[in-house]
Amino acid sequence: MTAQPAFDLIFRNALLRGAADPMDIGVTRGRITAIEPTLACEAVEVDVGGRLALPGFVDSHIHLDKACLLGRCGHDHGSVSEAIRAVSGMKKDFSVEDVYARGARVLERAIVHGTTRMRTHVEIDPRIGLRGFEAVKALKRDYAWAIDLSLCAFPQEGLTNDPGSEELLVQALRDGGEVIGGCPYTDTDPNAHLARIFDLAEAFDVDVDLHLDFDLDPSWWHLDEVCRQTERRNYGGRVAIGHATKLSALPPERLKAATAQLAKAGVAVTVLPATDLYLMGREATHNAPRGLTLAHKLVGDGVVCSIATNNVLNPFTPFGDASLLRMANFYANVAHASVNDFDTCLDLVTELPARLMNLLDYGIEVGNPADLVVLDTQDSRFAIAELPDIVMGFKSGRQTFARQRPTLFSPG
């Protein structure tokens, strides 16, 4: 037994990824202060029981402001543009209270499914104004006890073609926006759109997270311009692109070149399986393409990647429960991931999105916040393979949720 200074809390018998045996984790004032086989100290104890402990899932791309719209409009949309129009027609009537209530519903589901960090894209334009942004700012404040929420200010319907949007973006960045997004394929001047987004990113010293190349026609794309802007402005490691479904339509040699280009520029890729699969290839009569970029393959070639939720119960994705573990399992199935890839699939919802978001205090390490979720498994590969229960969660050493095991009632 190793004598230690006083802890507020000790997690006993926690199995960490890559470790052969369970460890004890000592926590003082919400931060991890020791990780050792056996800690000797009088403190509140939580027995993890040899189960897998993770620092929580990281959702690098979600839209809380337009979640849970099922029932407000028809959901027979077959394309990205139709989904954008459907939400555009509704959002002019969104109130702060409405966005807050729908966002809270998703946040609470995400928390009990083990998510501890999240980046949400918030639409900013003259139709919604800053109402959605104000609502999500309030969610960030009110749910800080369980989840760290980062706000990405984002013009969904263009920028140079949408007068008033840039002024609103500037207001949002002055008032708590931590990342700037963009959507060049909805702008009449995509390159000017990208230039303005990077200008604002530099002016406010924030990272960039773009919706990009969201179709299956590889004859044109905006990836080249994004990489060019990233390198010209020395923004490597601070730029992410979401969807990038065009990459899934490239033949091997072109994909190899694009992958090298992304890795060299330091541009990360977020794959959004539920939305990408729902909207891509719907016009096919047979042999429908998946439209899913293979993130785990890109990771092997040096590109930082993540898997994320994107949309929940709306025209872009009429499904969803905000479970990143389920999303990683879903991705692994569709992407033909092998058993040897399962640990990488888990990385895609933990360590890798944390790198994408430049979260320097993420992970079960001494000095970091005591953010911990416990999965009912002893093998990280089985986290992907069998979707074990997520039995409890802690944020800065405070318990945020618990899930009871089901009880079977056998006859007699």
Side-chain angles (χ1 to χ4, degrees):
M1 302 282 281
T2 303
Q4 293 288 337
F7 299 111
D8 304 323
L9 170 69
I10 296 176
F11 293 102
R12 299 283 186 199
N13 303 309
L15 186 65
L16 306 182
R17 289 186 71 186
D21 299 303
M23 304 288 280
D24 288 351
I25 302 170
V27 178
T28 308
R29 291 187 293 278
R31 291 193 171 267
I32 297 169
T33 46
I35 302 173
E36 295 188 17
T38 309
L39 294 174
C41 180
E42 292 293 325
V44 175
E45 296 186 4
V46 175
D47 189 357
V48 177
R51 291 173 294 196
L52 180 67
L54 299 173
F57 299 110
V58 181
D59 204 331
S60 61
H61 187 128
I62 195 170
H63 296 263
L64 294 176
D65 57 335
K66 57 189 182 190
C68 302
L69 296 172
L70 217 58
R72 295 196 186 185
C73 66
H75 286 268
D76 55 351
H77 313 99
S79 69
V80 178
S81 59
E82 288 173 353
I84 290 172
R85 282 196 298 272
V87 173
S88 180
M90 289 185 283
K91 71 181 176 185
K92 65 181 185 300
D93 297 320
F94 288 173
S95 66
V96 173
E97 296 75 17
D98 171 47
V99 174
Y100 184 99
R102 289 184 286 102
R105 178 179 165 188
V106 175
L107 266 186
E108 290 178 8
R109 294 296 297 276
I111 290 164
V112 299
H113 286 308
T115 297
T116 55
R117 310 286 184 109
M118 177 182 283
R119 174 183 287 177
T120 182
H121 291 249
V122 187
E123 294 195 17
I124 307 285
D125 61 38
R127 288 157 294 289
I128 182 66
L130 294 173
R131 296 190 302 279
F133 185 76
E134 291 300 323
V136 178
K137 272 206 311 179
L139 290 169
K140 174 184 173 74
R141 178 195 67 223
D142 293 349
Y143 285 89
W145 55 271
I147 191 167
D148 293 327
L149 187 60
S150 173
L151 278 62
C152 177
F154 157 62
Q156 169 75 82
E157 299 179 48
L159 185 60
T160 69
N161 57 323
D162 200 6
S165 289
E166 184 167 337
E167 292 79 3
L168 289 166
L169 279 174
V170 168
Q171 282 184 253
L173 290 169
R174 286 174 176 163
D175 194 27
E178 297 149 282
V179 183
I180 187 164
C183 192
Y185 56 79
T186 61
D187 203 306
T188 52
D189 191 342
N191 285 355
H193 179 112
L194 288 168
R196 266 327 274 143
I197 294 300
F198 274 91
D199 287 344
L200 290 169
E202 287 187 310
F204 287 91
D205 191 23
V206 295
D207 291 356
V208 175
D209 197 335
L210 304 162
H211 291 62
L212 203 78
D213 295 340
F214 192 17
D215 63 44
L216 298 179
D217 179 2
S219 66
W220 63 274
W221 61 13
H222 299 126
L223 186 147
D224 290 339
E225 180 62 15
V226 169
C227 290
R228 189 185 74 82
Q229 290 280 358
T230 301
E231 292 182 314
R232 185 170 75 82
R233 298 170 192 259
N234 195 29
Y235 242 59
R238 302 189 67 181
V239 178
I241 57 176
H243 300 294
T245 51
K246 287 179 186 285
L247 293 174
S248 73
L250 295 180
E253 286 307 309
R254 281 195 64 193
L255 178 60
K256 182 178 179 181
T259 302
Q261 184 180 13
L262 289 163
K264 177 176 178 291
V267 174
V269 176
T270 297
V271 173
L272 305 161
T275 304
D276 297 348
L277 284 158
Y278 179 69
L279 289 175
M280 295 297 99
R282 294 179 68 87
E283 71 285 352
T285 59
H286 59 286
N287 285 340
R290 288 177 168 87
L292 188 78
T293 291
L294 299 183
H296 68 290
K297 300 287 189 183
L298 297 184
V299 168
D301 289 323
V303 180
V304 174
C305 292
S306 67
I307 292 168
T309 299
N310 196 40
N311 284 292
V312 177
L313 304 176
N314 73 11
F316 294 86
T317 320
F319 312 101
D321 60 359
S323 168
L324 281 177
L325 189 60
R326 183 185 66 80
M327 193 64 71
N329 169 277
F330 180 48
Y331 167 87
N333 274 271
V334 177
H336 292 152
S338 70
V339 174
N340 291 334
D341 296 321
F342 284 2
D343 266 318
T344 302
C345 291
L346 188 57
D347 291 339
L348 287 166
V349 290
T350 53
E351 281 82 3
L352 287 167
R355 282 179 58 194
L356 182 152
M357 292 173 59
N358 290 308
L359 303 178
L360 302 181
D361 62 350
Y362 177 82
I364 301 177
E365 298 176 10
V366 171
N368 284 350
D371 298 349
L372 207 76
V373 297
V374 178
L375 280 62
D376 193 13
T377 185
Q378 286 78 42
D379 189 325
S380 56
R381 294 172 304 169
F382 279 83
I384 297 298
E386 66 174 351
L387 294 177
D389 287 339
I390 304 168
V391 297
M392 66 181 87
F394 294 79
K395 185 69 178 168
S396 296
R398 177 190 176 276
Q399 188 159 10
T400 54
F401 73 91
R403 180 177 282 109
Q404 300 301 316
R405 277 189 171 185
T407 301
L408 290 175
F409 297 99
S410 59

